Amino acid sequence: MAVKEMKKIPVQPVSVGKGAFIQILIGAEEAPHFFMRRFIIESKGHIPKHTNTVEHEQLVLRGKGRIGIGEEVFTVKKDDVLFIPANMPHWYENIGDEPFEFLCLIPNKEDKMQLLD
């Protein structure tokens, strides 16, 4: 399918997060090379420190967040763009009063997530 309405795509909780949700906008059955996902982290929500075996390209859609990438910590906001290399430890937290939302594109490959700490 070439066009979908985002509001009609299911949103599911991120099992390892608190107040965090994922929406698969474009999945493996639709595109041969990339997944497009939308994450929503509620105020005071977070996704704990972990690694993935695939890289992440991200665009902040709204809100304000703090993201740890390796040993560095970044405060990000709407229109900021991030790159997280494969196997790099990273985490997310919402530091604002509104939802922190971002698009996350990853290669259409097997991805193994490992929680840290």
Side-chain angles (χ1 to χ4, degrees), residues 57-78:
E57 289 86 16
Q58 300 176 336
L59 168 65
V60 179
L61 299 173
R62 76 173 177 148
K64 190 172 173 183
R66 186 173 296 124
I67 299 177
I69 304 173
E71 298 299 317
E72 296 187 72
V73 177
F74 302 91
T75 298
V76 297
K77 63 190 177 334
K78 183 181 182 333

Side-chain angles (χ1 to χ4, degrees), residues 1-92:
M1 178 180 291
V3 177
K4 298 187 274 186
E5 289 184 59
M6 187 168 67
K7 66 182 178 184
K8 293 182 179 179
I9 300 171
V11 176
Q12 301 173 338
V14 174
S15 62
V16 299
K18 176 187 173 212
F21 302 88
I22 186 171
Q23 186 179 37
I24 306 298
L25 302 175
I26 298 174
E29 66 285 349
E30 298 168 289
H33 302 291
F34 293 95
F35 277 85
M36 180 186 292
R37 310 173 306 171
R38 176 177 163 237
F39 284 85
I40 304 120
I41 303 175
E42 296 175 344
S43 182
K44 298 182 177 59
H46 71 277
I47 297 174
K49 190 175 195 182
H50 63 281
T51 60
N52 296 85
T53 54
V54 298
E55 67 189 53
H56 295 23
E57 289 86 16
Q58 300 176 336
L59 168 65
V60 179
L61 299 173
R62 76 173 177 148
K64 190 172 173 183
R66 186 173 296 124
I67 299 177
I69 304 173
E71 298 299 317
E72 296 187 72
V73 177
F74 302 91
T75 298
V76 297
K77 63 190 177 334
K78 183 181 182 333
D79 297 332
D80 285 345
V81 177
L82 300 89
F83 174 72
I84 302 172
N87 301 305
M88 176 69 67
H90 58 287
W91 53 267
Y92 307 85

